[in-house]
Amino acid sequence: MYKIAVVPGDGTGPEVVAEGVKVLKAVSEIHKFNYELEYYNLGGERYLKTKETLPDSILNDLKRMDAIYLGAIGHPDVKPGILEKGILLKIRFELGQYINLRPVKLYAGVETPLKDKGPEDIDFIVIRENTEGAYAGAGGFIKRGTPDEIAIQESIHTRKGVERCIRFAFEYCRKRNQKNKVTLCGKTNVLTYAFDLWERAFYEVAKEFEDIETDYAHVDAICMWMVKNPEWFDVIVTDNMFGDIITDLGAMIQGGLGIAAGGNIHPKGVSMFEPIGGSAPKYTGMGVVSPLAAISACQMMLEYLGETKAARGVEEAIMKVVKHDVRNLSAGKMGYSTSEVGDLVVKYIVES
Ligand code: IPM
Ligand code: MN
């Protein structure tokens, strides 16, 4: 019996999470596993009413779950930073989810903005460090609001944090067993302290993985190669900030935010799975956004829980939907409503 916390959150989060839950139910009946859902109301609405972001009681509940399934956090009436830091980043940090796993995979049938590139070219995964770097929250103001003000925002890189992330990337690459190559994405030509540490840790850990090829690229160059030669990549490992940036680029080349999902992983703890698209306030309640990103996040959650066959079943159903039914995943352009797309996924799961 899996205990899964569901946090539908803001904007279109609840609509897409509902489809993921629908798919979970269908696949659990076929692959015979049991689960229990616990819903938590977190996000902008709660904050506006109560000034609470993530109460300790809920945080403690989350620590006792097998996984967390998240929709989206972000509200147009709440100042940027409050909900992100108070909910999303707080969960990542407090639950020690030190890996952010973001597959960039183009399914056959999905449109990519890259000319002359297809599914055989776009299939890699970004492993983003998820609890340190510029996200650590180290810094502050001096003389804020005066002409002499100073803002300091430090980027923290610990040997332990960097090394465990890199080791995770090599292990993941070995298990994935595709091109058997890990690319470190850094900026060793300018950030000569932080990425010196990353680079040394990278090549030291690499010695434990002689079957895996190593590769390095600066973050700016990676942005170029992801567009020009995405087929070069297998596993990319990088720090929190660079990982945040390059995974939005990754989402676009795999067909957009309507299909891109991610996992916030603590390999021995409680992990959280989410579509990476955000709350999309202007489409809220219209039933026009793609639920496939949220359904992919559900697939990643099943994989992580060890329900490998169920995860595979969900992925195959998604692949059928984009091949036969929905080619354009942009909001309002699918030709189906959010829940109809969820129904299509369920139909293919049941038929298989
Ligand atoms: C992401 C998001 C978050 C991040 C924001 C919402 C804090 O952009 O998950 O990539 O920057 O990590
Ligand atoms: Mn981001």
Side-chain angles (χ1 to χ4, degrees):
M1 173 75 90
Y2 303 116
K3 281 193 72 164
I4 301 170
V6 184
V7 181
D10 295 317
T12 51
E15 315 168 29
V16 296
V17 156
E19 300 312 307
V21 167
K22 202 193 257 177
V23 167
L24 184 64
K25 180 166 183 291
V27 85
S28 73
E29 284 161 9
I30 289 167
H31 294 277
K32 311 254 174 285
F33 62 87
N34 295 313
Y35 62 92
E36 198 177 87
L37 300 181
E38 194 76 52
Y39 280 80
Y40 293 95
N41 166 23
L42 296 171
E45 298 299 333
R46 182 185 187 123
Y47 175 76
L48 290 170
K49 265 190 229 122
T50 66
K51 292 275 162 256
E52 279 175 331
T53 47
L54 176 59
D56 285 345
S57 61
I58 296 186
L59 181 62
N60 288 330
D61 275 10
L62 295 181
K63 288 180 180 164
R64 287 192 288 270
M65 296 287 161
D66 292 305
I68 304 168
Y69 187 43
L70 174 77
I73 296 292
H75 195 290
D77 302 337
V78 182
K79 193 174 152 225
I82 294 178
L83 302 172
E84 292 85 346
K85 283 176 123 174
I87 303 173
L88 187 64
L89 299 183
K90 188 161 176 194
I91 296 175
R92 288 179 183 169
F93 288 9
E94 293 282 331
L95 273 60
Q97 296 162 342
Y98 62 85
I99 297 293
N100 197 318
L101 209 54
R102 297 199 164 169
V104 179
K105 186 169 178 179
L106 177 68
Y107 291 125
V110 176
E111 287 169 19
T112 174
L114 299 189
K115 191 154 114 340
D116 304 329
K117 297 291 176 190
E120 59 292 351
D121 303 307
I122 302 173
D123 185 1
F124 60 92
I125 184 153
V126 178
I127 292 174
R128 161 185 175 192
E129 200 291 322
N130 209 32
T131 52
E132 303 191 340
Y135 283 69
F141 292 108
I142 301 169
K143 301 180 187 165
R144 183 171 182 273
T146 75
D148 296 323
E149 76 175 321
I150 301 169
I152 298 172
Q153 189 100 45
E154 298 277 17
S155 188
I156 307 288
H157 304 259
T158 68
R159 173 71 197 210
K160 189 175 143 195
V162 168
E163 193 174 316
R164 68 185 175 183
C165 177
I166 290 171
R167 185 166 282 105
F168 184 95
F170 277 94
E171 279 165 2
Y172 197 95
C173 185
R174 185 179 268 169
K175 255 201 246 134
R176 180 175 153 87
N177 196 20
Q178 291 192 14
K179 297 190 189 89
N180 290 313
K181 172 169 153 187
V182 181
T183 303
L184 172 63
C185 163
K187 190 71 186 172
T188 53
N189 53 347
V190 175
L191 306 181
T192 51
Y193 310 127
F195 282 96
D196 182 81
L197 189 159
W198 272 84
E199 197 178 32
R200 278 182 287 114
F202 182 72
Y203 288 108
E204 278 168 39
V205 171
K207 288 188 197 138
E208 299 164 27
F209 298 86
E210 285 186 341
D211 48 322
I212 309 288
E213 187 191 336
T214 56
D215 178 36
Y216 173 83
H218 297 318
V219 62
D220 47 348
I222 282 245
C223 290
M224 186 171 75
W225 302 131
M226 275 172 67
V227 172
K228 196 165 178 291
N229 296 99
E231 68 279 4
W232 286 353
F233 299 114
D234 182 19
V235 173
I236 298 176
V237 64
T238 192
D239 90 328
N240 209 340
M241 187 79 256
F242 292 165
D244 178 46
I245 297 167
I246 70 169
T247 52
D248 267 26
L249 179 55
M252 284 304 122
I253 68 172
Q254 73 178 119
L257 296 174
I259 188 95
N264 302 272
I265 311 289
H266 182 324
K268 297 199 172 89
V270 186
S271 297
M272 172 167 71
F273 299 85
E274 51 175 338
I276 73 175
S279 59
K282 71 175 176 196
Y283 298 119
T284 301
M286 295 166 68
V288 295
V289 299
S290 161
L292 294 178
I295 295 170
S296 283
C298 177
Q299 172 213 324
M300 292 181 76
M301 177 167 74
L302 289 167
E303 184 81 55
Y304 160 83
L305 289 171
E307 295 296 333
T308 316
K309 283 197 190 127
R312 187 74 204 130
V314 174
E315 184 174 31
E316 278 164 5
I318 293 172
M319 289 169 82
K320 286 180 187 156
V321 170
V322 295
K323 190 163 170 208
H324 304 302
D325 309 290
V326 189
R327 291 187 54 114
N328 191 328
L329 301 169
S330 305
K333 304 220 171 101
M334 297 190 293
Y336 295 90
S337 71
T338 306
S339 74
E340 283 168 344
V341 176
D343 291 341
L344 284 168
V345 176
V346 169
K347 180 186 88 162
Y348 288 122
I349 288 173
V350 173
E351 274 176 14
S352 68

